[in-house]
Structures are given as structure tokens and as C-alpha cells.
Amino acid sequence: MKPRPFDYVRPDTVEEVLELLAEYGDDARVLAGGQSLLPMLNLRLLEPSLLIDISRLAALDTIHDRGDAIEIGAAVTQNKLMSWAPLQQKLPLVALALNHVGHFQTRNKGTVCGSIAHADPSAELPLVLALLGGEVVLQSRRGTFTLAAADFHQDMLTTARKADELVAAVRFPVVSRQGVAFQEVARRHGDFAIIAVAAVMQDAGQARVGVGGMAGRPLLREIKVERAAEAIGAWADELEGHEDLHASGALRRAIFKRLGPPVIAAASTAKVGGTA
Amino acid sequence: MRRVNRNERVRIALTLNGRRLSAEAEPRMLLSDFLRHGLGATGTHVGCEHGVCGSCTVLIDGVAQRSCLTLAVQAEGREVRTVESLAAPDGTLNPLQQAFRANHALQCGFCTPGILMSFTDYLARNPKPTIEQIRDVLSGHLCRCTGYAGIVAAIEEVAKR
Amino acid sequence: MGEQLGKPVLRKEDLALLSGRGRYADDLPVPVGTLHAHVLRSPHAHAEIVHIDTAKAAGHEGVWAVITGEDVRRLSDPFMAVIKTPVTQYSLAVERVRYVGEPVALVVAESRYIAEDAAELIDIDYAPLDAVLDPVAACDGAAPLLHPQAKTNEISVRDFRYGDPDGAFARADHRIAMTVPFPRLSFTPIECYVVVAQHNAAEGSYDVLANFQGPFSMHPVMARALRVSGPKLRLRIPPDSGGSFGIKLSVFPYVVLIALAAKITGRPVKWVEDRIEHLVAASSGPNRVTRIEAAVGNDGRVLGLRLDQLEDYGAFLRAPMPGPLYRMHGAVTGAYDIRDIAVRNRVVLTNKMPASLIRGFGGPQLYLALERLMHRIAVELKLDPLDVIKRNLIPAQKFPYRTAAGALYDSGDYARAVEIAIGQGRLDDLKRRRAAARAAGRSYGIGFAVVVEPAMSNMGYLSTVMTASAREKAGPKNGAVSMATVNIDPLGAVTVTADVTVQGQSHETVLAQIVAEELGLTPDDIEVVLEMDTAKDQWSIAAGTYSSRFASGTAVAAHKAAVQMREKLKAIGARQLNVLPEDVELAQGKIRSRSNPDNALPFGRVAGTSNWAPTLLPEGMAPALSETGVWTPPELEPPSSDDRINTSLTYGFIFDMCGVEIDPVSYQVRVDRYVSMHDAGRVMNPVVAAGQIRGAFAQGVAAALYEEFSYNDEGAFLSGTFADYLVPTVSEIPDVEILHYESPSPLTPLGAKGLAEGNCMSTPACIANAIADALGVDEVILPATPRRIHALMEKAKQ
């Protein structure tokens, strides 16, 4: 379990990162926290010719309050965001979800943007970003573009990022006056979810609900709180449900049916500022 | 901009347990291999090399992380702490180590160094954790011998001091 | 129990292990010029190897050798096996691969990184064959044959009858049967295999360091494969090992492979198994399908039992297999007084990794079937499951009890232990919790399991796999030798060595307690050195750490060595104290007169006599202070002509009960409360004992709910990482309330029995019974994952 050979580069500026991405494209991989990338390298599942280490770039290690959204740079670790003082107030749903992301030790290194760029269909952060209608900031020598999370995350481990682009930041819209809730079922504490459900209240008894683990990417829907069980049931029945070693599609549907309504109920009764 | 090409062996210097040390490594060398076989710090153990078991956990600039998911070159110039740094120079165990011994928190001892390092970081941030917090942090480690009860008891004991 | 023994003495091992100064196999220095090996493995479950092209790999910079099955066939012999069949196995696949992960080639290079690079350059042309994964299907005549020359996959079938099973079944009011599968799993020590081998061409000898665990009956197997006599294979075991649980026996094919690599390259070679290799190919417990049937009276009394045990050992039957099928043979009736039984034992090979030792070793498979059947009897006859258990327990007055199949249960009062557990373990509380949960519409069940836990195997038990006449031809096999040595240096410092391998069981601490007790010292005064060297240490085929042989075996040998030493020191001291030897005692670091304690000499002074002043020794006494205790209990007789066998020396008892609830959202089984009552005879160190019980319990929970080696129908391996093979974390392991009842063994001087495997045997069965109770179903497949629980609940709805 040793990686194949690769060149390593630790640029001093974001511009250098973009130069290298422009030059190497798909042959390069960006190394931020490495909590998903290094296992794949150790298992020889990847053969990048260049690793671009951005973990020391101070310019990317920033949490920026833009007023309507919080912008989190590509080098920001999950634990750094967890201990960001205004998190609970500004991004209560993200605060809830982060508790379920890996372990203390992996969150120390794993980045928020890395999780979103990795695009695991069961991962918590892509689900929350999609549900909140967040954005992904992509930078390249060609310029800076933003993509809606729903457009960014296309399928299992597949995103709209182009080969020369850096996921430079993600933007979570500030949601502080709506009830939110997040729950998941995993085989073991800290594992990727079998099913993760998140909800954020809209106007007039309406919840926006997201589910991870059912398909290749997070699925979203608006649901009336009073008809939650019925609506989730119908929604689950429309879906095949991802099938793997740990859960059949049928089990995933069943868990979603049972996990969805209480999450919606929790969101609808949550103190503003968020609770599980 | 630091660049090291494949198959190029360069000298990597870092601070290990307070000493400035260096050894040669190519870019793909894992920090776990570098510490053990480059610098001879064999107290850090390798259990899975894909980031699940937690045996190889060390502190880099005070932060607990998996050394099997870190390249040696990434730790260049950093301050690395491993289990060898915990006891006093005369061998006296620190309170966390003592609590592990008193609570039979280890049997084969292979996973233990990683757990000690995780809690060295965590208890520095949160000296009085709840039992739920202890279990949450400990869940980042696999132990096959103990059933975990002694480990939880040991950390609780330290937290109560 | 004594000054030292029975006390919660803190572990001697911990100071080094907590400071990062353990000496595990991969920590030890290797000779200058050591090369590193990487194993290339089969991606196919079953295929002919048409051609291997190693040229590119061999030409890669830094590569010393690329070794294939043809090299191995040329330079070594197949491994000896317990059952004589035309099946041959080498340390690399020859001509054919039979499981995913099977070693196919070995690359030896300057570094592990380079070896892995070169392995990617080996070009192998495989012709895939149909694979068979299911043990029942593999017995079918039409199934693909793993070893065509054997003409069958079902390579051993033995029938045993004790008493009159047909009569019992004819007489009984009811016959109740079920089929119980037991899954494949390992307990995956966190340290993987390590081998460092050197070849001395001048002497034609090998020097190998490996984290092997024993039994050392495998040493002749390795030496024979290498075509050398025993002394020319020096096997050294490091002082520390990162866990084993039976799994590290199976490093032995790699000992041979890496030794051959050292011979081929002329350089020392090191191989460190990685986790992916470990999961796909290191070792596994055997999966088993048991058809079990009871003849039962209306009152729930079991009159007769029939078992058909079909055990799946994977692609090869490696020595000492089929151990799990026969280790429990004498105890096949568990804790029950059942005299009329029929047992059919069958061994089948399938396209999975070879199975071997694992903690519990045959017990989990047996007890899951037996205890599920007892629960089922209660359900069928509408009786209380606990009443069915109690009605069938061996009565206390029958001890020592000879079972139908020949085991001699040394001591116990099972009914009393159960009664205490029900009271102190608060069965009434469990019942209240179940009633409350059910009233609230939740699925809650209570399970029980009783287990007899054998310790210190009779080395003759495996010969039960042969017929009596074949055994007669082969010569008798029996017994189990344990050895330990106490040495005293010129200044009176005491050192102990013993025939065990370290894996974390605290043997250093307990041996120090035992020897300190006899010599009037403290455990801190005793150095215990357990690294092993077959060239210099005393060992027998029984040496090693497995089958709970420490408490009933090596501990006794150490006690004997210490007693011998004590008597010698008394004789020496008597002369110097001017008293009779009967008046001498060893206490508080002194050797002194019992009647006049002021007449005393320091321990070291007396002990040093044989070095500094040997002429002062009593007449006829040999000067060296080195005493070896050898222990081989007479009760471990060979199988009788009618196939009765006392499979182990001591037999502990466990009664478990638990309450489980099915999580209504996740379908995860959650253990609400778990109580485990142990009768392990005298407990030598209560802290160590609790640690062993908790560790086994966690593994029992893992087997019941989480861990499984999964293959698909084509034989692809699905549990290849720790993300897919689910070792429970602290969050998944419930608490266990441990109770003790002590019936000292009359057969060992310390009265201790084994206790480290019991919960691997009892816990899967207890949880399975609780799930059956919670869901009101008969069929509970382990591990009872949410996927399986969900399917069960859906089936029950229909």
C-alpha cells in the first residue's frame, strides 16, 4: 500500500496553483487535507503525475463572512470551521452536519472544500451545501466562476469542475432565522452515512429537505410539514436507492421513510439558530 | 515554491519531539514510514494505511492527524510530536499514560500510541470532556484487544483531575 | 489466593508499550542490505495460470528478484497437512489460483515502494474457471473442483455415534431441527504479519524473525517445506506483538516464502503485510453450516442430538486444520447432560481464502447452533427458554463429568452459577425493560446462552479426524507439554522464560506473580523474557499462545519451575542458616527460618551461592540455578478406539443473558443490557481477567452484528478495506456486566481455567437468541446487519 511515484509541488501563491493546473490539467491532483486523496493514492487507485499541495496557502485558509453567505477557502479544515465562533449562529445546519463528518482526527486535516470536491454521495457537507443552495467558487487562469452546488455535484464522485480549475472556496448561505435539522444513519460512528437527511424551514409550514445516500448525489425537495410522512414515503418509493455492501436499496428507502419525518419535525420545531 | 520530482530523494527536515532532524525521502514517502524508518521513531505504528484504524496518529504543530495520510514532505519544517515525547526524560509516565496503566487500557499496546496522541491534542483543547465527547474522539481509533472500556475509564480519570 | 496471585497487579508490559518503546517485529533492526518484498496476488477466485511474464518487472531499477510458483515448486516442498489428500499447497500459487488474494508472485527490491511499482509490471495470463463459494453447493458432484486430483471438494467426512441416538429420537415426544450458518470473519489484529528472513548458504540454514504465534507444531511443517532439518530453521519471535487472536498462526506460508526469497537473492529479505493484503488473504475463521436436530421430551428435556457440521476451510486445508471442527468434539454437547448423540463432521473446500485459527476456535460455530436450537425448543414447546436450559444442565453432583463424546469436565456448578447470574444480573429488570419496550411498540428481545469453555488443547484431538484403525497405524497422539524456566543470576536476580508468544495477554505480569509468590519476592523483582528463539529456547509442538493454554498449561509449568527453585533455595539456605530445610521459608525477599524469622539471609545472598561459593551447596546439588518446569497432564489421553476424546484439560462455564432492541429507524440491533457470568476456576489477576473478558465480548459483538468477510457469487472479495470490513469502534461496543463464580480446577495446582475465548463463543449465540425473541423469527443470520434485519422484518410481514 504505497503510492505510485508523483511529482510534488507546494506553490507559494494561488496564481502558481492555477498555472500548474493549466499546465497539467487532469494529470494533477490538488492536495488539501488528503483524507480522501491519500487513501486512494496508497491503494494505487490513482496515478497523478503531480500533486499540488495547497494546505499551507494562507490565502485559501480563510473563512470570510460576506453577509448573505459564508465563504470558506480551500485550505480550511473541517475542525477549523467547527471552532469558528459564529458558526452556530450563522450556519447552524453546517454545525450539525460537521459533527457527523469523519472523526476528530480526520477533521483536523480534512477540508470543507475537499469533501465537496470529492463528491461522495453519502457525505454530509455536499448534502448541506446543496440543500442551502450554496455555491462553489472555481478559479482558473481563465477567471473565477461560481456554480450552484446542485450543478457542481453531478454524480457519484463526479463534479462539473474542469481540469484546470481549483475549487477555491465554497459559499454557504447564511440561514439563521429558519429552523434546521440534520440526522443520519451510519453503520459505525463516523462512517459515511447510509442515509443522511437535512431539512431547513421555508415559509408557511414548508420544509426544504435533502437526502444523501439515496442516489449519486444529494436529492432535494420541498415538503409540507404536516404531510411529511406521506410526502417522504412517496418520494422514497420513487427512488431506487443506492445498493452496496452495507445497505440494499430497499433498506435505504425504509430508513429514509423513517428518518425523514422526524428530521422535518425537528426543523419545524427548532429554535431559530438550529437544533437536531 | 517547493518542488520535488518523482524518484528524487531530498532531505526533509522537521522537528521531532523537540529535536531538529532530517532524512532523505522521495515525494511519495508517507510520514508514517518516514518517522519509523527514516528517523527511527518506531513508537508510531502502522495499522491500515488508509486512515481508519488511527494507530499512526501523531501531532503536527500540535494537531492530531493520521501520519499514513500525510506525505513526509508535507511535514517539512513542521513540529511533529510522537508517543516517545510523552514520558519524562527519566521514564516517568505522564498522567494520561499513568491512567492507561492504572485502568488496564491496553493489552497488546499496538493501537495505544495513536490513542495517546489523539487525546494529547484533544485534552489540551478540552481538558474536561464529557464521556460522550471522549467516546466521540476515541471512535477515530480501532482497538481489537480491550473492548475500549479501560481506555474510556483512563481518559475519564484524567478528565476528572 | 496468595501474596501475589489473585491480586490486581499492574502490568509489567505497560511501561514500554505506553512510551513507544515496544519491540514489535517491524521495529527491530534488520541486517545491513536487507531487501523488501511485495506479494502480487490473484484477482481471480479460480483460474488457470497460463503464463507469467516477469521480464519487465525483473528489469525494473532496484529489483533483485521476481519469484513465481515455479521457483517455489523447484526449491521447496508442499506444506504437510493434517488430512492426507492429493491436495498440495505451496507458498505461491502453482499452475492455478483458487481464491482472490492468493499469492502469485513475489517481488524483492530495494524498497517496498519499488517492489510495488515492479509488481505492476508483471504480466499474467489467466484462464478463468468457474468458482464455487457456497459450502453446500461445493459438495454437489456437479460443482467446480478446486483440486481436480482430489475428485471432490468434500475432502473429509467422519461419522461419530455415542450412546443410542436412534433410540432417543424414536422415543422422544418431539424432534426439533434447524440449520444454522456461521459466517466468515477474522479479528484482524492491528499489527499485520511481518517476516524478516536470512539464508546462510554455507550452512544451508535459515534465520527467520516473524510475529508467529504458535503452535510450534507448525515449525516442522515450515522446515519440511524448506527441505531442512528443524535446527536449520531458526525461528525467532519478537518480544512484542500487536495482537493475534489466532490469526498470526497463518503467517507460516510467508515464513517459507520470504526464506526462499532470501535464498534466491542471497540477501536478507523483509516483508510487512499491509492491511489490504491482510483482509483479503491473511486468515479467517471457517464458516460452517450446521444441521442440528434434537430429540425432546414434552418438558423440554433433550434426550438425543444429531449434528451435521459442514465446515468450509476455503481453498486449502492448512495445518493444523480442521482444528475448529474437532477442538470442541468432546464438548459437543456443551453444558448439557445429553448422552445419546450422532455427529457428522464434514470438511469442504471453496474458492475463499484458507481458514485457520481464530479466537474461540470452533466454539462460536458450535454454540450458535446448539444455543439457537435450545431457544427454538422453548419456542416450539411454548416453554421458558431459561427453563429449557436449566432442565438440561449437567447437575453439580455429576462432576467430574465425562461427556458422551469423551471430555472430562473437571469442575463446576452450572445451575448455581446460572441462579447467581439471574439474581445479580437482574433478569427481572431485563423482563421489565422488554415489557415496557413492547408496550411502546418497539422490538425488544431477551437471549440466553450457556457455554463450556475449554482450555489447553489435547494435541491428540486432531487425530480424531482419522478412523481408529488409521490412528493405530499412525501411532498415538495425545497430551500437551508446557514448559517454563526460572533462572537466577549471580546477584540473585530472577528471570523467567516460557513457551508462550506474547500477543497482549499480560503473560509477563502473571508469570511474574506466579514466580514471585513461590520465591517470596514481588513481581517487580522478576524479569520475564518471552521473545522466543527455536534455536535456544525450550519448546514443544504445543508451544505458543492459542486455545487458552496459558492458565491451564504454561502458568502451571512456571509454578512448577518456581516450586523446584524454591525447594532448591531452601536446601541451600538451610545449610547457611543452620536449620533443617523444612524450617526454611522464602518471604519478603529473605530466606529465613520459619521458627526464628530473625535467622535470615537476603534472597540474593543465598541465591548467589551457586555462583560464588558452589562448595557451600548441599552435597550432590548441581550448582546452576536454573529450573525448568514441565507439565503434561495425564488426563489428556489419546482418542479411544470408540472415538471418545478428552479434547482439553480444563472446562470453564459461561452463562450470558442480554436484552436487545431493534432500532426503529436504522434497523440496527442495539444491545440494551448484557450480563456475562464466568466460572473460570481461580482467577490469577482480576484486572487481566476482566480485560480478556471485555476483549472477547467486543469480538463477540463484532461477530454478531458487524464483521463479515463477504464474497459475491463469482468469488470477488467485498470486504477489502476497513471501510467495508466493519471493526466496531467504541461507539458500537455496549457495556458488559461481568460476574464470577469460582469452581477451582482440581486438575491443575493453580486451579485456574481459561477465560479469554468464552465470550467469542457465547456472545454471538446470546445476541442471536435475543434477536429471535425480539422479532419472533426462527432464522437469524449473523452478522445481523441492518440489511439482514430489514429483510427479516419484511419477510415476517408477508
Side-chain angles (χ1 to χ4, degrees):
Chain A
M1 285 190 75
K2 309 296 181 190
R4 293 175 179 137
F6 47 74
D7 295 350
Y8 169 89
V9 60
R10 193 164 61 226
D12 298 319
T13 65
V14 175
E15 290 64 38
E16 287 174 353
V17 175
L18 303 183
E19 287 294 325
L20 288 162
L21 280 171
E23 183 185 345
Y24 283 82
D26 279 337
D27 287 340
R29 301 288 296 215
V30 172
L31 170 61
Q35 302 301 290
S36 303
L37 180 58
L38 261 293
M40 291 195 292
L41 290 174
N42 289 357
L43 289 160
R44 297 194 170 221
L45 298 174
L46 298 174
E47 197 171 9
S49 59
L50 180 73
L51 285 196
I52 306 170
D53 182 356
I54 62 166
S55 61
R56 296 194 193 188
L57 282 177
L60 297 175
D61 191 14
T62 57
I63 300 171
H64 178 48
D65 188 343
R66 296 166 56 96
D68 59 340
I70 308 299
E71 184 173 291
I72 293 153
V76 174
T77 65
Q78 294 146 9
N79 269 352
K80 176 169 176 167
L81 181 58
M82 269 179 108
S83 52
W84 184 57
L87 182 72
Q88 184 60 43
Q89 191 219 330
K90 304 262 180 175
L91 298 175
L93 186 59
V94 176
L96 290 175
L98 276 169
N99 288 316
H100 297 272
V101 178
H103 298 281
F104 166 73
Q105 298 83 355
T106 60
R107 291 192 301 262
N108 271 340
K109 193 87 187 298
T111 60
V112 175
C113 288
S115 171
I116 283 153
H118 184 57
D120 189 286
S122 301
E124 295 81 4
L125 292 174
L127 167 63
V128 169
L129 188 72
L131 179 68
L132 294 177
E135 291 174 333
V136 178
V137 180
L138 296 160
Q139 274 187 33
S140 71
R141 256 186 359 185
R142 295 177 285 112
T144 299
F145 307 92
T146 57
L147 261 185
D151 297 327
F152 176 76
H153 193 163
Q154 295 177 324
D155 203 346
M156 184 183 290
L157 310 184
T158 308
T159 70
R161 186 186 76 89
K162 298 201 175 63
D164 65 342
E165 287 176 331
L166 171 72
V167 175
V170 293
R171 291 178 189 152
F172 287 96
V174 171
V175 172
S176 53
R177 299 212 194 133
Q178 295 149 263
V180 296
F182 184 99
Q183 277 185 41
E184 73 172 45
V185 166
R187 285 305 317 277
R188 292 174 302 186
H189 185 77
D191 281 356
F192 277 123
I194 288 176
I195 292 293
V197 180
V200 53
M201 292 308 295
Q202 312 292 301
D203 297 334
Q206 189 94 349
R208 194 169 148 79
V209 181
V211 57
M214 283 302 282
R217 60 177 183 166
L219 302 176
L220 309 172
R221 195 171 270 197
E222 302 247 332
I223 283 173
K224 277 207 176 2
V225 172
E226 59 196 21
R227 297 186 53 237
E230 207 179 315
I232 293 278
W235 188 7
D237 287 334
E238 291 168 26
L239 301 169
E240 209 166 308
H242 177 61
E243 180 94 24
D244 67 14
L245 181 64
H246 302 303
S248 60
L251 172 60
R252 282 195 158 85
R253 289 196 297 273
I255 292 174
F256 182 33
K257 284 180 190 177
R258 293 175 178 210
L259 190 62
V263 171
I264 295 169
S268 72
T269 56
K271 273 201 327 255
V272 170
T275 178
Chain B
M1 187 163 79
R2 173 68 149 148
R3 181 167 184 139
V4 187
N5 289 335
R6 66 187 57 209
N7 303 333
E8 189 185 346
R9 293 171 70 83
V10 296
R11 190 147 280 276
I12 303 211
L14 48 77
T15 304
L16 177 64
N17 301 329
R19 271 203 179 82
R20 284 280 293 165
L21 298 174
S22 69
E24 286 197 341
E26 47 182 316
R28 61 170 161 166
M29 179 172 271
L30 304 176
L31 179 61
S32 45
D33 285 342
F34 184 76
L35 291 173
R36 292 177 51 76
H37 303 298
L39 301 180
T42 53
T44 298
H45 297 151
V46 174
C48 77
E49 290 180 306
H50 55 289
V52 182
C53 81
S55 295
C56 68
T57 304
V58 300
L59 305 190
I60 302 179
D61 291 345
V63 175
Q65 47 197 275
R66 314 294 205 206
S67 63
C68 76
L69 299 187
T70 306
L71 302 172
V73 63
Q74 286 184 281
E76 194 169 27
R78 301 289 205 200
E79 189 136 344
V80 178
R81 265 191 86 188
T82 62
V83 65
E84 287 94 338
S85 72
L86 297 181
D90 69 353
T92 306
L93 302 180
N94 77 10
L96 182 63
Q97 291 170 306
Q98 282 175 28
F100 267 59
R101 185 168 191 226
N103 289 279
H104 193 24
L106 65 155
Q107 289 180 23
C108 83
F110 199 79
C111 68
T112 313
I115 297 173
L116 292 172
M117 297 322 288
S118 270
F119 280 92
T120 298
D121 175 6
Y122 186 74
L123 292 172
R125 298 189 210 186
N126 181 11
K128 301 275 173 204
T130 63
I131 187 157
E132 288 72 28
Q133 289 171 321
I134 291 170
R135 295 171 73 90
D136 182 57
V137 174
L138 184 56
S139 73
H141 293 271
L142 299 181
C143 168
R144 301 283 8 211
C145 293
T146 64
Y148 303 104
I151 305 174
V152 175
I155 298 162
E156 263 193 295
E157 187 181 301
V158 174
K160 277 188 192 139
R161 274 181 204 167
Chain C
M1 191 163 166
E3 285 286 313
Q4 306 300 342
L5 220 45
K7 298 274 164 63
V9 172
L10 289 184
R11 298 204 327 155
K12 291 177 84 69
E13 292 86 345
D14 289 350
L15 288 174
L17 300 183
L18 284 165
S19 313
R21 312 210 185 276
R23 288 172 296 159
Y24 301 90
D26 188 34
D27 301 343
L28 300 177
V30 293
V32 172
T34 296
L35 304 174
H36 297 270
H38 172 66
V39 181
L40 180 68
R41 295 172 182 278
S42 169
H44 296 281
H46 202 184
E48 296 284 354
I49 301 173
V50 180
H51 182 67
I52 304 184
D53 183 353
T54 60
K56 257 172 90 180
H60 191 70
E61 189 182 325
V63 172
W64 278 67
V66 181
I67 297 165
T68 67
E70 289 309 316
D71 301 310
V72 162
R73 177 153 65 176
R74 185 165 42 81
L75 296 171
S76 66
D77 285 333
F79 293 112
M80 292 189 292
V82 171
I83 298 178
K84 299 277 171 282
T85 64
V87 173
T88 56
Q89 188 192 8
Y90 292 90
S91 54
L92 286 177
V94 172
E95 293 175 0
R96 181 189 281 234
V97 291
R98 295 179 175 85
Y99 62 99
V100 168
E102 182 169 2
V104 177
L106 185 79
V107 183
V108 187
E110 277 170 17
S111 80
R112 173 61 174 255
Y113 289 77
I114 294 172
E116 291 194 21
D117 295 343
E120 295 194 296
L121 303 174
I122 298 174
D123 192 16
I124 306 182
D125 184 8
Y126 289 103
L129 299 166
D130 285 341
V132 60
L133 279 296
D134 179 67
V136 176
C139 294
D140 189 294
L145 288 177
L146 273 85
H147 303 272
Q149 67 280 20
K151 300 189 171 64
T152 175
N153 296 321
E154 194 180 354
I155 57 167
S156 167
V157 180
R158 277 280 277 142
D159 279 298
F160 303 91
R161 299 174 76 75
Y162 306 99
D164 177 21
D166 293 344
F169 274 85
R171 271 198 324 275
D173 302 316
H174 308 273
R175 298 156 175 221
I176 297 171
M178 60 197 309
T179 299
V180 181
F182 192 90
R184 274 200 161 223
L185 72 154
S186 162
F187 292 131
T188 65
I190 302 294
E191 179 201 43
C192 294
Y193 296 160
V194 179
V195 181
V196 184
Q198 300 178 67
H199 178 246
N200 182 327
E203 293 175 0
S205 65
Y206 297 94
D207 184 335
V208 183
L209 173 88
N211 49 6
F212 176 69
Q213 65 142 53
F216 281 71
S217 55
M218 298 307 295
H219 186 273
V221 174
M222 292 182 260
R224 278 272 202 103
L226 287 168
R227 298 177 180 160
V228 294
S229 66
K232 291 207 184 284
L233 171 59
R234 180 176 188 173
L235 183 61
R236 292 179 296 122
I237 317 296
D240 292 309
S241 165
S244 183
F245 323 112
I247 301 304
K248 282 180 179 158
L249 168 116
S250 301
V251 71
F252 81 85
Y254 299 102
V255 168
V256 170
L257 178 61
I258 304 305
L260 290 174
K263 179 176 181 162
I264 290 168
T265 58
R267 292 279 290 267
V269 178
K270 178 173 183 177
W271 172 69
V272 179
E273 181 190 49
D274 68 36
R275 180 58 60 188
I276 303 306
E277 299 183 271
H278 188 87
L279 287 170
V280 72
S283 192
S284 158
N287 52 308
R288 184 186 292 184
V289 179
T290 305
R291 176 74 184 167
I292 187 167
E293 185 177 16
V296 193
N298 283 326
D299 58 353
R301 182 82 179 92
V302 178
L303 309 171
L305 207 55
R306 284 194 182 122
L307 291 104
D308 177 354
Q309 305 185 109
L310 175 64
E311 191 131 284
D312 175 0
Y313 282 94
F316 295 95
L317 193 72
R318 286 175 174 167
M321 298 301 102
L325 201 47
Y326 286 88
R327 186 250 189 143
M328 301 300 299
H329 192 76
V332 72
T333 39
Y336 304 120
D337 187 15
I338 305 171
R339 306 304 309 175
D340 299 309
I341 62 175
V343 180
R344 165 171 279 202
N345 282 345
R346 298 190 284 150
V347 173
V348 66
L349 301 184
T350 65
N351 293 106
K352 298 200 274 288
M353 83 174 94
S356 192
L357 260 64
I358 186 167
R359 193 177 191 173
F361 203 47
Q365 291 90 334
L366 170 68
Y367 289 117
L368 183 68
L370 187 58
E371 295 305 294
R372 286 290 298 118
L373 179 70
M374 297 305 279
H375 180 92
R376 180 78 188 280
I377 289 168
V379 172
E380 292 272 313
L381 303 186
K382 301 192 164 50
L383 299 169
D384 182 329
L386 193 55
D387 287 341
V388 174
I389 287 171
K390 287 197 220 168
R391 221 156 272 169
N392 286 288
L393 289 176
I394 298 163
Q397 64 272 19
K398 287 199 179 180
F399 283 87
Y401 175 86
R402 182 71 73 173
T403 67
L408 181 67
Y409 289 179
D410 46 339
S411 60
D413 185 341
Y414 297 172
R416 176 128 180 76
V418 169
E419 279 313 315
I420 293 171
I422 292 168
Q424 292 182 14
R426 307 182 317 284
L427 176 60
D428 51 351
D429 169 64
L430 272 182
K431 287 183 172 169
R432 270 197 303 274
R433 294 164 93 93
R434 176 172 64 183
R438 286 182 176 175
R442 305 200 306 267
S443 299
Y444 192 110
I446 295 175
F448 303 97
V450 296
V451 154
V452 169
E453 177 178 2
M456 195 184 183
S457 290
N458 183 342
M459 298 311 279
Y461 79 79
L462 257 180
S463 62
T464 321
V465 72
M466 297 191 279
T467 61
S469 58
R471 285 199 298 268
E472 206 159 304
K473 264 189 237 157
K477 291 200 172 55
N478 63 69
V481 179
S482 298
M483 291 189 278
T485 300
V486 176
N487 287 305
I488 302 186
D489 90 338
L491 298 181
V494 181
T495 308
V496 181
T497 62
D499 63 353
V500 288
T501 54
V502 171
Q503 303 157 15
Q505 287 96 334
S506 318
H507 291 161
E508 289 179 36
T509 303
V510 178
L511 287 171
Q513 287 179 265
I514 291 168
V515 173
E517 179 82 49
E518 298 307 323
L519 300 185
L521 300 172
T522 70
D524 286 345
D525 298 325
I526 316 286
E527 292 297 319
V528 182
V529 181
L530 296 180
E531 56 190 292
M532 187 85 150
D533 180 342
T534 58
K536 304 185 79 169
D537 289 317
Q538 288 154 322
W539 58 276
S540 73
I541 58 163
T545 301
Y546 62 94
S547 291
S548 299
R549 68 181 283 274
F550 178 75
S552 316
T554 302
V556 177
H559 173 76
K560 288 171 90 79
V563 168
Q564 288 162 214
M565 184 63 83
R566 183 193 68 202
E567 292 307 308
K568 205 164 175 177
L569 290 168
K570 276 168 123 177
I572 299 169
R575 192 161 163 193
Q576 295 177 23
L577 295 168
N578 267 324
V579 296
L580 291 170
E582 298 80 62
D583 187 38
V584 177
E585 66 174 6
L586 281 65
Q588 294 170 351
K590 291 195 163 54
I591 293 177
R592 66 189 186 193
S593 161
R594 202 186 291 272
S595 53
N596 174 19
D598 289 343
N599 182 13
L601 286 166
F603 179 90
R605 168 83 178 277
V606 177
T609 307
S610 81
N611 268 281
W612 304 108
T615 58
L616 292 183
L617 294 176
E619 205 169 326
M621 181 183 281
L625 282 187
S626 177
E627 287 296 321
T628 297
V630 182
W631 163 241
T632 176
E635 289 81 9
L636 297 183
E637 298 169 314
S640 65
S641 57
D642 58 352
D643 288 324
R644 288 171 210 267
I645 170 76
N646 185 21
T647 30
S648 302
L649 179 63
T650 61
Y651 297 88
F653 175 76
I654 297 173
F655 169 74
D656 283 0
M657 59 183 188
C658 74
V660 307
E661 184 171 341
I662 315 296
D663 184 290
V665 173
S666 66
Y667 296 85
Q668 179 67 47
V669 176
R670 301 202 186 283
V671 176
D672 178 39
R673 271 192 64 213
Y674 200 106
V675 178
S676 192
M677 158 60 90
H678 285 249
D679 181 353
R682 284 219 177 89
V683 172
M684 293 187 284
N685 183 325
V687 173
V688 169
Q692 291 297 313
I693 291 170
R694 286 186 189 282
F697 171 71
Q699 292 177 337
V701 171
L705 300 177
Y706 293 96
E707 294 185 32
E708 181 175 25
F709 282 151
S710 301
Y711 293 82
N712 71 9
D713 292 342
E714 286 75 45
F717 187 65
L718 307 177
S719 316
T721 72
F722 269 161
D724 293 316
Y725 185 78
L726 302 182
V727 178
T729 76
V730 64
S731 301
E732 286 73 53
I733 299 299
D735 191 25
V736 52
E737 300 166 40
I738 300 170
L739 302 169
H740 283 286
Y741 177 77
E742 291 194 8
S743 312
S745 174
L747 302 184
T748 77
L750 298 170
K753 304 182 181 188
L755 52 70
E757 295 186 86
N759 284 92
C760 292
M761 305 178 183
S762 59
T763 300
C766 187
I767 290 177
N769 279 338
I771 294 168
D773 184 49
L775 297 178
V777 296
D778 292 331
E779 194 191 16
V780 178
I781 307 287
L782 300 187
T785 59
R787 190 183 179 122
R788 290 196 170 112
I789 293 290
H790 175 251
L792 263 183
M793 292 173 81
E794 289 301 301
K795 202 168 143 192
K797 269 194 215 157
Q798 285 158 15

